[in-house]
């Protein structure tokens, strides 16, 4: 009976994934102008934010190590994919962004981006993961900054290489950069990448590997005393997390006509930076991949409405002033979440489609237990 | 006995100092398969430190640990476990945010043979390995009377059951030697009696050697075949329980001179 229910769960999730993919294909073929100009660019942005948050969650939530340089891996992936595709484009391997040759380039770009980021993750992870807590945070923070400077100073990323006579030396054209039309046409690529990455991460987390790294998070000494090779699994998880961050680099390179290293900095004015990804993981719930997905989307929407929402103009002046400092709004949002859900929106639970029928029961039992708590408190107060 | 049997666990001149403090000095012990040996001594005598030396948590400043006659110098903790030494902790160290079953399964990791691809594509190898591991872990939980708690969070268990879960987790590593650090600490008499039956089952079923640290003297005197006493890091006596009980040095160490 349990076996069939597991099968049912897999089937439901598979169906949902197919539906999502089909939706992306349909949008790509039939979308109108609002779809093209407003919605699909946002969906692309969401796609890499989701994978960034979920992949950082592997290290932060499941392995329990604070890494502050996650965007550094994304930068490596983005530049690797751009250089690779640009080289092929200049060699005349493809001219138009369509057809089988381009599809092959796109596929290889994803793999190369992931592999180069993973390699770097391995190199950084082996020494860095010997350190614990704050030290790892400092090292990864340093890594994120170094990688940005390194890329800025690489000769083949400079004027003669990626820029093709671009105005600023900080801006480099990519071989991928989709126009709005192409973003819509290739929306299925983003959908597919998100589905595949999330699936692989789920499979990783729900296996002996996930058990191992959660054990390491909960108690490193006990994990070692249970025969778990702590440093091996730490480096492995860090590398896998870097791999997915690298993949998001390709998605980013697809979204943007040019690359600038400031987009991958530790902090910047946008929603994409290493700190913000950490915030997404914390808000979503450490140890919940679906939580990361939800938090990435929610924070993206918050950012989007602050920047583009017409309703902001309708607010009283003092509130509008608050909204001119988006970071202030995020901090408030973060504080609110931490107050009401100290372990993040999802805690360490996962959202499952198959559980939706059980929701009414869960919700009523939640309120029942809160009611009990409250009446118990009241009684205590009365007696006191 | 004609031929010479090698002890499963043997230490030679094992010692460690922290700065100027000789926490353990010249510690020698031999334990044979199926034996239950007690390690006792007053507070701060160095018992837990001995366990840390026997599991590679501390690197000894002198001496060696041998398992089946093979020295384990320079190995890491997880390699000590692979070789066959498992332990529990005096201050409970469970994987608190994992279920009882997951706690035990985590300790089976080295015996679950599938790779990342099997996990990603959920091959039949994956399902078979997971199922086999679950079945074995449920059996181990049953030995420790925890089978009906399998899906609870480890941190939600009462104290006595957490100690038993530590034992179940240690069993999952397929050890030859089991080191128990004050397993009865904080247990009431009924729980202690249950623990005792659990320890006996383990010995009968797995034929492992057990080294037991315990402050509860009646427990130690009842179950241990041999006892070794340490004080200030030095072995002051070793022998049969009745000998130990009468040994003036031991009495002096416990009552204070
Ligand atoms: N990592 C360490 N650094 C410094 N000193 C230590 C360390 N570990 C243990 N010690 C010291 O070694 C001595 C022995 O400690 P240990 O924990 O082994 O005692 P114990 O016999 O287990 O005592 P108890 O019965 O209280 O559990 C103590 O004086 C302790 O302070
Ligand atoms: Mg101790």
């Amino acid at each position: 009976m349990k076996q069939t229910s597991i099968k049912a769960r897999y089937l439901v999730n598979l169906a949902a994934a197919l539906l999502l993919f089909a939706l992306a294909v349909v949008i790509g073929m039939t979308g109108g102008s609002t779809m093209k100009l407003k919605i699909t660019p946002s969906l692309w942005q969401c796609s890499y934010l989701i994978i960034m948050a979920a992949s950082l969650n592997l290290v932060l939530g499941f392995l329990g190590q604070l890494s502050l340089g996650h965007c550094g891996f994304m930068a490596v992936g983005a530049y690797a994919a751009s250089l690779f595709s640009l080289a092929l484009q200049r060699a005349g391997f493809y001219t138009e962004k369509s057809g089988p040759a381009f599809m092959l380039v796109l596929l290889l770009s994803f793999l190369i981006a992931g592999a180069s980021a993973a390699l770097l993750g391995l190199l950084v992870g082996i020494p860095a993961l010997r350190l614990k807590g704050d030290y790892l945070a400092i090292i990864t923070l340093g890594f994120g900054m170094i990688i940005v400077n390194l890329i800025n100073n690489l000769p083949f990323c400079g004027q003669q290489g990626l820029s093709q006579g671009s105005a600023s030396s900080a801006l480099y054209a990519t071989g991928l950069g989709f126009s709005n039309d192409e973003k819509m046409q290739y929306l299925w690529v983003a959908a597919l990448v998100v589905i595949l990455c999330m699936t692989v991460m789920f499979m990783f987390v729900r296996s002996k590997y996930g058990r191992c790294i959660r054990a390491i998070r909960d108690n490193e000494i006990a994990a070692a005393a249970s025969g778990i090779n702590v440093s091996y699994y730490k480096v492995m998880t860090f590398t896998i997390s870097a791999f997915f961050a690298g993949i998001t680099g390709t998605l980013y390179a697809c979204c943007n006509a040019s690359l600038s290293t400031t987009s991958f900095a530790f902090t910047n004015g946008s929603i994409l930076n290493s700190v913000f990804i950490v915030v997404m993981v914390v808000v979503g719930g450490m140890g919940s991949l679906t939580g990361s997905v939800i938090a990435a989307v929610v924070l993206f929407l918050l950012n989007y409405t602050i920047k583009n929402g017409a309703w902001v103009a309708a607010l009283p002046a003092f509130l509008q002033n608050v909204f001119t400092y988006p970071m202030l709004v995020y901090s408030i949002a973060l504080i609110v979440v931490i107050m009401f859900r100290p372990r993040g929106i999802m805690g360490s639970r996962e959202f499952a489609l198959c559980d939706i029928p059980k929701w009414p029961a869960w919700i009523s039992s939640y309120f029942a237990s809160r009611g009990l708590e409250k009446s118990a408190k009241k009684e205590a107060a009365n007696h006191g | 006995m004609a031929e010479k049997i090698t002890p499963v666990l043997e230490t030679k001149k094992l010692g460690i100092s922290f700065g100027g403090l000789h926490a353990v000095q010249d510690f020698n012990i031999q334990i044979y398969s199926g034996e239950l040996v007690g390690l006792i001594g007053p507070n701060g005598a160095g018992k837990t430190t001995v366990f840390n030396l026997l599991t590679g948590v501390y690197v000894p400043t002198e001496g060696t640990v041998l398992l089946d006659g093979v020295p384990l110098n320079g190995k890491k903790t997880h390699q000590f476990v692979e070789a066959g030494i498992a332990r529990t902790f005096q201050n409970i160290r469970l994987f608190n945010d994992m279920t009882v079953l997951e706690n035990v399964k985590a300790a089976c990791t080295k015996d679950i043979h599938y790779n990342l691809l099997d996990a990603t594509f959920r091959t039949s190898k994956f399902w078979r390995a997971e199922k086999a591991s679950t079945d074995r872990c449920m059996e181990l939980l049953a030995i420790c009377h925890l089978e009906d708690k399998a899906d609870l969070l480890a941190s939600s268990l009462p104290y006595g059951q957490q100690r038993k879960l530590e034992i179940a987790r240690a069993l999952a590593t397929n050890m030859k030697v089991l080191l128990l650090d004050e397993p009865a600490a904080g247990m009431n008499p009924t729980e202690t009696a249950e623990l005792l039956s659990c320890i006996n089952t383990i010995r009968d079923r797995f034929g492992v050697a057990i080294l037991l640290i315990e402050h509860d003297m009646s427990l130690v005197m009842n179950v241990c075949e041999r006892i070794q006493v340490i004080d200030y890091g030095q072995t002051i006596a070793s022998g049969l329980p009745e000998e130990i009980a009468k040994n003036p040095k031991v009495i002096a160490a416990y009552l204070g001179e």
Side-chain angles (χ1 to χ4, degrees), chain B residues 48 90 181-182:
Chain B
T48 301
Q90 180 177 1
D181 198 344
E182 302 199 18

Side-chain angles (χ1 to χ4, degrees), chain B residues 18 21 23 41-50 58 90 181-182 215:
Chain B
F18 300 108
L21 174 78
N43 284 108
K47 305 177 297 290
T48 301
T49 307
V50 167
Y58 291 160
Q90 180 177 1
D181 198 344
E182 302 199 18
H215 275 302

Side-chain angles (χ1 to χ4, degrees), chain B residues 161-206:
Chain B
Q161 291 180 355
Q162 291 198 1
R163 287 216 171 275
K164 284 193 205 155
L165 178 54
E166 277 224 332
I167 296 177
R169 187 178 66 186
L171 290 181
T173 62
N174 253 331
M175 72 284 128
K176 295 174 188 154
V177 183
L178 179 61
L179 312 177
L180 301 173
D181 198 344
E182 302 199 18
M187 284 188 175
N188 60 33
T190 20
E191 284 176 324
T192 310
E194 266 183 33
L195 177 78
L196 217 65
S197 86
C198 170
I199 291 177
N200 282 327
T201 321
I202 292 166
R203 224 161 38 130
D204 296 345
R205 275 244 208 133
F206 303 96

Side-chain angles (χ1 to χ4, degrees), chain A residues 80-120:
Chain A
S82 303
L83 282 169
F84 169 74
S85 56
L86 197 63
L88 286 182
Q89 194 184 33
R90 290 189 184 162
F93 187 74
Y94 70 94
T95 45
E96 297 211 325
K97 285 178 185 136
S98 62
F102 179 70
M103 282 294 121
L104 183 67
V105 171
L106 194 57
L107 176 67
L108 288 176
S109 296
F110 277 112
L111 295 181
I112 286 171
S116 49
L119 184 68
L120 210 67

Side-chain angles (χ1 to χ4, degrees), chain B residues 10-15 26-29 62-66:
Chain B
E10 184 177 10
T11 64
K12 285 186 180 155
K13 288 194 178 298
L14 200 61
D26 194 19
F27 182 78
N28 297 293
I29 199 169
E62 52 180 340
T64 31
V65 179
L66 298 113

Side-chain angles (χ1 to χ4, degrees), chain B:
Chain B
M1 241 179 278
E3 84 242 69
K4 198 168 167 276
I5 317 169
T6 37
V8 252
L9 182 72
E10 184 177 10
T11 64
K12 285 186 180 155
K13 288 194 178 298
L14 200 61
I16 188 169
S17 1
F18 300 108
L21 174 78
H22 299 292
V24 173
Q25 265 180 303
D26 194 19
F27 182 78
N28 297 293
I29 199 169
Q30 293 181 333
I31 308 176
Y32 296 86
S33 249
E35 255 192 322
L36 205 168
V37 179
L39 180 62
I40 62 170
N43 284 108
K47 305 177 297 290
T48 301
T49 307
V50 167
F51 272 23
N52 284 335
L53 290 170
L54 290 177
T55 50
V57 174
Y58 291 160
V59 180
T61 38
E62 52 180 340
T64 31
V65 179
L66 298 113
L67 193 77
D68 283 330
V70 184
L72 296 176
N73 289 26
K75 295 221 160 50
K76 289 191 181 161
T77 303
H78 71 93
Q79 290 167 319
F80 275 74
V81 180
E82 261 162 46
I85 304 180
R87 72 176 289 184
T88 65
F89 293 91
Q90 180 177 1
N91 47 340
I92 300 174
R93 289 174 177 274
L94 287 172
F95 308 132
N96 281 332
D97 279 348
M98 295 165 65
T99 65
V100 168
L101 179 61
E102 282 175 326
N103 264 266
V104 184
K105 277 180 95 177
C108 293
T109 306
K110 68 185 170 67
D111 299 320
I112 303 180
H113 299 287
Y114 58 74
N115 56 30
L116 271 176
L117 288 180
D118 290 315
T120 306
F121 294 105
R122 300 277 133 140
T123 57
S124 57
K125 195 174 169 190
F126 168 89
W127 290 115
R128 251 183 288 126
E130 283 287 326
K131 172 117 193 346
S133 161
T134 306
D135 291 348
R136 195 169 90 83
C137 292
M138 288 307 290
E139 266 172 45
L140 297 177
L141 284 176
I143 292 176
C144 300
H145 312 287
L146 288 169
E147 68 274 34
D148 50 338
K149 307 280 190 306
D151 294 325
L152 299 180
L153 276 189
S155 55
S156 72
L157 293 183
Y159 194 76
Q161 291 180 355
Q162 291 198 1
R163 287 216 171 275
K164 284 193 205 155
L165 178 54
E166 277 224 332
I167 296 177
R169 187 178 66 186
L171 290 181
T173 62
N174 253 331
M175 72 284 128
K176 295 174 188 154
V177 183
L178 179 61
L179 312 177
L180 301 173
D181 198 344
E182 302 199 18
M187 284 188 175
N188 60 33
T190 20
E191 284 176 324
T192 310
E194 266 183 33
L195 177 78
L196 217 65
S197 86
C198 170
I199 291 177
N200 282 327
T201 321
I202 292 166
R203 224 161 38 130
D204 296 345
R205 275 244 208 133
F206 303 96
V208 295
I210 299 177
L211 182 60
L212 175 77
I213 297 179
E214 191 47 71
H215 275 302
D216 184 339
M217 275 307 147
S218 65
L219 187 101
V220 176
M221 294 292 164
N222 276 332
V223 300
C224 295
E225 283 133 28
R226 282 192 296 130
I227 293 174
Q228 185 147 345
V229 191
I230 57 174
D231 191 18
Y232 294 111
Q234 310 236 6
T235 304
I236 55 169
S238 74
L240 300 173
E242 36 299 358
E243 294 168 6
I244 295 296
K246 282 182 291 197
N247 189 314
K249 271 192 192 167
V250 178
I251 297 168
Y254 268 90
L255 299 178
E257 275 131 311

